[in-house]
Amino acid sequence: MGWFKIPSIFTSYKHTPLPYYNPARQNLVNKSETQKDGAANKVFRFLRRLMSGGKIDGGSRTEAEEKLYAWLYALAQSDKDMVFEYVRSTERGLSFAEAERRLKENGPNVPIDYSFPSWWHILWNAFFHPFNIILIVLSVISYFTSDSPNGCIMLVLVFISVSLRFYQEYGSSKAAMKLSEFVRCPVKVQRCAGRVYQTELVVQIDQRDVVPGDIVIFEPGDLFPGDVRLLSSKHLVVSQSSLTGESWTTEKTADIREDQSTPLLDLKNICFMGTNVVSGGGTGLVVSTGSKTYMSTMFSNIGKKQPPNDFEDGVRRISYVLVAVMLVAVTVIVVIDYTTSHDLTASFLFGISVASALTPQMLPLIVNTSLAKGALAMAKDRCIIKSLSAIRDMGSMDILCFDKTGTLTMNRAIMVNHLDSLGLSKEKVLQFAFLSSYFKTDQKYPLDDAILAHVYTNGYRFQPSKWQKLDEIPFDFIRRRVSIIMEREAEDKSRHSFERVMVTKGALEEVMKICSSIEDVDSGTNITFTSERYQRILNMVEEISNEGLGVIGVAIKSLDTETSYQRKDNDETFESDMVFLGLITFFDPPKDSAKQALWRLAEKGVKAKVLTGDSLSLAIRVCKEVGIRTTHVVTGPELELLNQESFHETVKRATVLARLTPTQKLRVVQSLQTVGNHIVGFLGDGVNDSLALDAANVGISVDSAASVAKDFADIILLEKDLNVLIAGVEHGRLTFGNTMKYIKMSVIANLGSVLSILIATVCLKYEPLTPRQLLTQNFLYSVGQIAIPWDKMEEDAVKVPQKWSQKGLPMFILWNGPVCTIFDVSALLFLWFYYKADGVDDSMFFHSAWFIEGLLMQTLIIHLIRTEKIPFIQDLASWPVLCSTVLISAIGIAIPFTPIGDVMGFVELPLSYFGFLLVLFIGYLFVGQVVKRIYIMIYKRWL
């Protein structure tokens, strides 16, 4: 075996038959399920799953996970003979024929191939959107009715919308396909050969050819090719960082039988696919391969269950409503117009124009322009936006989950204290810890740098130049300690003698294990290291650990200067009979900016939850220092014991969740989304964070993160600082607010306009506007809306998360839509009674007046809707919006007075009409503001 990239096991898991029929395995799994669930519980679970509509709420494990847990726990609790029986193998290994049969039956040792959508499938999904279909149908009809310019405009808008959506989704699909690649790697397995007399052979095969029942042989640097039950081990230390994300290592041993209370990843006799050997070696029996491994099952939901997007769903519902309204209104208008004109073609063309006016044609352009503008603004704040829709979701995010390491903390060690065996500060402990770090050359760790920095910055003078290093016993993951042998000239210079010592520093348990005496605090003499003193130090260390501090031990041993020391094969024998000096405590300090950043996030309505694989005590200490409440905390093993309802309630209340596995992080995120109805952001940088990053509404990673994490993230931070996210939240809320402005004002303006046209068509003997005039009016209004992404938002609007409200938009339309129609009808009545424009002969005058009134009314709606304050008095729009309003209004007013107006069938209007429009629009703004204040009093919000 050798090193290779972490395999991407992020594919679908389907409940398929076992790779080969194994009654023992089936009985084990079924027995576990039967014990846990009776018939009533099975029925209840089925009904609950049926009613849930397939939602994943994170409160319970999937069926595949339950079977995997049952299988691995059964193997961990069994002795080796039974394990061979369960997987139908022997101590000699599988025969080549049997291995080949299982490979054919079971398939290669790779995840189940996930059929990624092809480019044309993604293109079809991007194309198949209600607004796109509407625009395409209208454009086709426009071409048939010789209205090519309008049809061309619609097709261009469809092309822009489809292209942007296809680009985003195809990029995400390519990232997922990259993760599905499985790099080949050689593996040493033991097989048996011979027909009569079978002999064991150690052969090297490709990882893809490993099957359940194979005996694998591993050594430092090897990666486990599947889930493995250990058969033999020698000083085996394994790194599970690919699963947990934590840098510490785990000791594994074959000579143990576990019980059900041990967390799955803490099982000592089970090694998991994707983890690697740090030191030691041994043999193991492969019990699961491919899609049946823990890592495959853990990542099986990646890319399959994306969080619900309320915004997209809301836009889709609104589009269906508009289609329904369009079909009814256009049908009625065509019928009424035909009864007066008796020209079916002209009536049909007029109906198409009304349908076009009802469609928010600029929606894809406005939405994507707003998102692109937000992406550029965030790029200046050192954020790379991979998914434009994530900017909008940032504006809705109300919970941010993250690991403490590197986010809240500096991700480096700071030394705190140097204590003797009684817990008192003692300089001698620091002196020899310093000398050990000073002379250490084999591997420099952050703790060594922390000790050196502490000595130098606090003015200690330990004079290392007086010492001479003789040798070094380097650190390894078996001993977990380092020893430095050094000497100096004795203080009594007349004797020309030397003082030679060995200083050992490392994991406290390993240092204490090699000590036979302890230095007495009062007399300075060495006394026996009794079990009582040993336990007293352990109790003291437990208290220190509860405060979130890390601890290493320091010991010393005087050596005979007459005998020269030479490195031996067994350094452990030499590291014995030492004198225990004391402890060095340290911790990873919080960032200076973290507390302020969390306070600013809370001020903006974003709650913080810490999801970490670290110990609870360490997480609590850091959270207290940065101001995160720690009244409700929980650990991963505790979550495993909870039922579904208790799980959701605990996740809801907890602010600190420690010792979490990747699947537990995923379940926490899903619980917050589905049961808590929150928009969840997740900041992670490891392979173990990929599940949560994929499931979160907003996946956030950093530039230094694992490639897997960056592939699944929506946003990449160029520096791991929460203050950068605050700027992202502000940009997200600005983007969301401006997008909602457009949706609300365009729907109100379009519905109000169509309703006014319907009333005018019923009342008049002619069309209130010709198709060309109506399309020109709609085009000018749509162009005027392009400046909306550059508008500003009120301070109160960006203080809280912005979410799509399913009930809010219909009520908003019902309250504000009729106001527009009332004043349109008022203009109709004024033209009818004051100017007597009720006959066919006056149609050109009516068309000119109605065209200008409708265009200015729709333009004013932008300013009335965009703020809850009084427009133009208490709040002004941004200069791009103001310029757009003035320009479009000026063009609309000027058209009847130009040759273009003659071509379009307009006539010049008297000055008195513009005086009436001034009064009309002042009245509209007044009534609209009154309705707005009443609406805000009832619903407590505006946009």
Side-chain angles (χ1 to χ4, degrees):
M1 292 191 294
W3 286 101
F4 69 98
K5 294 180 183 177
I6 298 300
S8 46
I9 321 286
F10 312 127
T11 51
S12 172
Y13 182 95
K14 298 178 181 178
H15 177 45
T16 55
L18 294 174
Y20 52 92
Y21 180 69
N22 188 340
R25 174 168 182 168
Q26 287 285 70
N27 290 336
L28 277 174
V29 174
N30 294 337
K31 180 180 177 182
S32 174
E33 290 180 341
T34 306
Q35 289 174 344
K36 292 177 68 174
D37 297 314
N41 285 338
K42 287 182 180 178
V43 173
F44 175 75
R45 274 190 354 199
F46 171 76
L47 292 174
R48 185 177 62 195
R49 191 181 305 121
L50 185 66
M51 297 175 66
S52 68
K55 279 188 176 181
I56 297 179
D57 58 16
S60 58
R61 289 194 290 257
T62 64
E63 182 180 353
E65 290 174 339
E66 290 288 356
K67 290 196 171 187
L68 174 81
Y69 273 61
W71 173 238
L72 292 180
Y73 272 113
L75 295 168
Q77 296 172 43
S78 304
D79 57 32
K80 298 173 188 176
D81 293 335
M82 287 300 299
V83 171
F84 280 114
E85 190 69 28
Y86 291 153
V87 297
R88 301 181 66 187
S89 184
T90 66
E91 294 181 358
R92 293 181 174 180
L94 298 174
S95 66
F96 286 92
E98 175 64 15
E100 186 176 352
R101 187 189 69 80
R102 292 191 183 187
L103 184 62
K104 288 181 181 178
E105 188 175 341
N106 208 25
N109 182 25
V110 294
I112 292 179
D113 292 330
Y114 175 60
S115 55
F116 293 98
S118 58
W119 66 267
W120 60 266
H121 187 264
I122 297 174
L123 182 61
W124 170 254
N125 287 336
F127 169 80
F128 196 78
H129 189 279
F131 283 141
N132 293 335
I133 301 301
I134 294 170
L135 290 175
I136 289 173
V137 171
L138 293 178
S139 66
V140 171
I141 296 175
S142 297
Y143 280 111
F144 279 113
T145 54
S146 302
D147 189 16
S148 299
N150 186 49
C152 186
I153 291 172
M154 293 181 186
L155 288 180
V156 169
L157 293 172
V158 171
F159 176 77
I160 293 173
S161 172
V162 172
S163 299
L164 288 172
R165 188 173 177 188
F166 172 77
Y167 174 77
Q168 294 174 22
E169 295 190 4
Y170 186 63
S172 300
S173 177
K174 282 174 65 178
M177 289 172 69
K178 265 175 62 180
L179 290 172
S180 68
E181 297 174 358
F182 195 89
V183 182
R184 297 193 175 192
C185 166
V187 180
K188 288 181 182 177
V189 299
Q190 179 179 301
R191 296 269 172 90
C192 57
R195 293 182 177 273
V196 181
Y197 299 103
Q198 290 191 333
T199 40
E200 297 93 1
L201 298 175
V202 176
V203 295
Q204 190 166 275
I205 64 173
D206 189 85
Q207 174 157 343
R208 298 167 58 93
D209 299 331
V210 174
V211 296
D214 267 330
I215 297 176
V216 293
I217 302 165
F218 44 84
E219 55 193 25
D222 288 346
L223 213 130
F224 289 100
D227 291 343
V228 172
R229 168 60 158 89
L230 293 178
L231 300 176
S232 65
S233 61
K234 181 178 181 182
H235 304 307
L236 180 61
V237 178
V238 174
S239 171
Q240 298 186 156
S241 59
S242 59
L243 302 180
T244 65
E246 304 306 326
S247 57
W248 61 61
T249 56
T250 303
E251 294 182 8
K252 299 283 187 176
T253 179
D255 301 322
I256 190 174
R257 291 179 63 178
E258 294 282 7
D259 55 55
Q260 196 77 23
S261 62
T262 307
L264 185 68
L265 293 181
D266 292 341
L267 294 173
K268 295 291 186 183
N269 55 8
I270 300 289
C271 295
F272 301 93
M273 185 179 197
T275 62
N276 62 280
V277 180
V278 175
S279 63
T283 60
L285 183 66
V286 177
V287 297
S288 300
T289 58
S291 63
K292 302 297 188 293
T293 61
Y294 172 78
M295 196 173 189
S296 296
T297 306
M298 183 178 75
F299 288 109
S300 61
N301 289 321
I302 284 236
K304 302 299 180 64
K305 291 289 184 179
Q306 294 298 323
N309 192 316
D310 292 338
F311 183 88
E312 295 290 343
D313 291 344
V315 170
R316 196 173 295 275
R317 290 192 188 96
I318 288 296
S319 65
Y320 290 142
V321 171
L322 288 179
V323 169
V325 172
M326 181 190 302
L327 291 174
V328 174
V330 170
T331 302
V332 172
I333 288 173
V334 169
V335 170
I336 294 174
D337 186 72
Y338 177 72
T339 58
T340 56
S341 67
H342 302 289
D343 186 343
L344 183 60
T345 302
S347 299
F348 200 60
L349 181 59
F350 180 63
I352 294 171
S353 303
V354 173
S356 177
L358 186 59
T359 305
Q361 299 170 354
M362 290 291 175
L363 179 62
L365 185 62
I366 295 294
V367 169
N368 288 292
T369 301
S370 296
L371 296 175
K373 179 178 174 292
L376 291 174
M378 290 183 70
K380 295 178 181 178
D381 292 322
R382 299 180 61 77
C383 290
I384 299 173
I385 307 301
K386 291 180 57 185
S387 172
L388 289 179
S389 61
I391 302 173
R392 184 180 59 235
D393 291 334
M394 283 278 282
S396 304
M397 181 178 70
D398 56 354
I399 287 184
L400 176 63
C401 301
F402 49 82
D403 195 342
K404 66 166 192 62
T405 306
T407 305
L408 298 180
T409 63
M410 296 181 181
N411 199 19
R412 61 183 177 88
I414 296 291
M415 184 183 150
V416 179
N417 214 334
H418 41 93
L419 308 174
D420 60 20
S421 59
L422 295 180
L424 303 176
S425 182
K426 191 170 184 180
E427 189 172 303
K428 185 176 180 180
V429 178
L430 179 60
Q431 176 188 5
F432 283 100
F434 165 77
L435 292 173
S436 172
S437 299
Y438 183 87
F439 287 113
K440 182 181 176 185
T441 57
D442 186 67
Q443 291 179 355
K444 283 283 187 182
Y445 286 100
L447 293 184
D448 296 307
D449 295 332
I451 293 171
L452 295 175
H454 182 83
V455 170
Y456 292 142
T457 56
N458 287 277
Y460 290 100
R461 296 290 183 267
F462 292 135
Q463 299 178 312
S465 59
K466 292 186 176 182
W467 290 86
Q468 180 184 358
K469 176 183 173 182
L470 299 179
D471 205 347
E472 175 177 348
I473 306 177
F475 177 90
D476 62 57
F477 286 98
I478 300 174
R479 294 164 40 254
R480 294 195 297 162
R481 57 182 182 260
V482 59
S483 295
I484 304 294
I485 302 163
M486 54 189 179
E487 70 176 10
R488 69 174 177 179
E489 192 174 346
E491 295 182 1
D492 186 3
K493 296 184 179 180
S494 61
R495 299 177 54 188
H496 297 286
S497 60
F498 290 88
E499 177 187 0
R500 182 177 297 177
V501 296
M502 180 172 68
V503 181
T504 300
K505 179 176 89 253
L508 180 67
E509 306 83 18
E510 300 298 329
V511 172
M512 292 173 65
K513 186 168 66 175
I514 59 174
C515 293
S516 59
S517 59
I518 186 171
E519 188 173 77
D520 184 63
V521 177
D522 298 325
S523 63
T525 58
N526 298 336
I527 56 177
T528 305
F529 200 180
T530 62
S531 58
E532 292 80 8
R533 295 187 178 101
Y534 188 95
Q535 188 60 46
R536 183 186 65 205
I537 293 174
L538 290 181
N539 294 338
M540 178 179 67
V541 169
E542 184 177 357
E543 293 179 7
I544 293 173
S545 298
N546 289 337
E547 296 177 5
L549 296 179
V551 176
I552 60 173
V554 181
I556 191 172
K557 178 180 181 181
S558 295
L559 300 178
D560 184 6
T561 57
E562 301 298 327
T563 306
S564 62
Y565 168 72
Q566 303 233 344
R567 289 289 305 278
K568 304 178 181 178
D569 292 335
N570 191 353
D571 289 319
E572 292 189 42
T573 305
F574 192 77
E575 292 175 324
S576 60
D577 295 327
M578 302 194 71
V579 180
F580 184 78
L581 289 184
L583 319 168
I584 298 292
T585 63
F586 59 92
F587 82 116
D588 186 3
K591 290 180 178 177
D592 296 333
S593 60
K595 189 170 186 178
Q596 180 189 9
L598 289 170
W599 179 80
R600 290 176 62 191
L601 282 172
E603 198 176 39
K604 294 184 179 299
V606 180
K607 297 179 181 178
K609 287 183 182 287
V610 176
L611 278 56
T612 180
D614 279 338
S615 66
L616 182 60
S617 57
L618 185 56
I620 289 176
R621 176 189 172 92
V622 174
C623 290
K624 283 182 177 178
E625 295 206 17
V626 297
I628 297 179
R629 296 178 61 185
T630 56
T631 50
H632 296 99
V633 298
V634 70
T635 64
E638 291 171 349
L639 286 176
E640 286 294 321
L641 303 176
L642 301 177
N643 58 36
Q644 193 168 5
E645 185 177 347
S646 301
F647 178 91
H648 294 312
E649 185 61 30
T650 302
V651 168
K652 176 184 175 182
R653 291 186 292 109
T655 54
V656 181
L657 300 94
R659 295 182 62 199
L660 296 184
T661 64
T663 49
Q664 288 171 336
K665 289 182 180 180
L666 169 66
R667 292 172 60 199
V668 168
V669 170
Q670 290 174 338
S671 173
L672 293 171
Q673 288 173 327
T674 55
V675 179
N677 196 28
H678 294 289
I679 304 298
V680 181
F682 186 88
L683 173 58
D685 58 4
V687 176
N688 61 304
D689 294 321
S690 300
L691 283 169
L693 282 170
D694 182 66
N697 301 87
V698 186
I700 309 164
S701 193
V702 293
D703 189 39
S704 58
S707 59
V708 173
K710 288 192 287 187
D711 282 332
F712 279 106
D714 303 306
I715 298 174
I716 306 293
L717 306 182
L718 297 183
E719 54 184 273
K720 202 169 184 180
D721 189 350
L722 290 178
N723 284 291
V724 177
L725 288 181
I726 296 170
V729 169
E730 293 173 347
H731 291 309
R733 291 179 184 176
L734 179 64
T735 301
F736 186 92
N738 283 334
T739 304
M740 288 306 300
K741 282 180 193 177
Y742 170 77
I743 292 175
K744 290 186 175 182
M745 66 181 61
S746 63
V747 171
I748 288 174
N750 292 356
L751 284 175
S753 176
V754 169
L755 186 58
S756 301
I757 290 173
L758 178 61
I759 294 173
T761 304
V762 173
C763 296
L764 299 174
K765 299 176 183 178
Y766 51 85
E767 297 169 347
L769 287 174
T770 66
R772 180 176 298 176
Q773 293 166 353
L774 182 58
L775 291 172
T776 302
Q777 183 192 67
N778 184 54
F779 175 75
L780 287 173
Y781 169 63
S782 299
V783 171
Q785 292 175 319
I786 293 178
I788 289 176
W790 283 268
D791 195 16
K792 60 185 179 180
M793 291 289 295
E794 298 170 348
E795 291 184 8
D796 293 341
V798 296
K799 282 185 177 179
V800 294
Q802 304 292 323
K803 294 184 180 181
W804 179 282
S805 174
Q806 294 183 7
K807 297 180 181 179
L809 187 57
M811 296 306 300
F812 191 90
I813 295 172
L814 288 175
W815 274 80
N816 295 277
V819 178
C820 174
T821 303
I822 289 172
F823 283 87
D824 281 339
V825 173
S826 300
L828 169 66
L829 295 175
F830 181 79
L831 292 171
W832 200 349
F833 291 107
Y834 186 81
Y835 290 109
K836 307 298 182 182
D838 56 348
V840 177
D841 297 336
D842 302 312
S843 61
M844 293 181 66
F845 174 81
F846 186 90
H847 288 165
S848 304
W850 187 266
F851 174 85
I852 293 177
E853 185 275 336
L855 179 61
L856 296 183
M857 176 68 74
Q858 290 179 327
T859 305
L860 280 177
I861 288 176
I862 296 176
H863 295 273
L864 182 67
I865 298 299
R866 63 167 295 278
T867 176
E868 63 182 51
K869 298 177 182 177
I870 301 175
F872 305 112
I873 298 175
Q874 292 180 327
D875 187 69
L876 271 176
S878 63
W879 69 265
V881 176
L882 288 173
C883 291
S884 173
T885 299
V886 172
L887 180 63
I888 296 301
S889 300
I891 292 173
I893 293 172
I895 283 178
F897 300 92
T898 63
I900 297 176
D902 296 336
V903 174
M904 296 185 65
F906 289 142
V907 297
E908 296 184 7
L909 297 172
L911 190 62
S912 60
Y913 179 68
F914 292 99
F916 163 74
L917 288 182
L918 180 63
V919 175
L920 180 76
F921 292 143
I922 291 175
Y924 168 70
L925 292 174
F926 175 78
V927 174
Q929 189 65 26
V930 171
V931 172
K932 184 194 298 183
R933 298 314 305 172
I934 296 173
Y935 180 89
I936 293 173
M937 288 175 59
I938 296 174
Y939 297 102
K940 309 302 180 185
R941 61 175 296 178
W942 179 235
L943 290 175

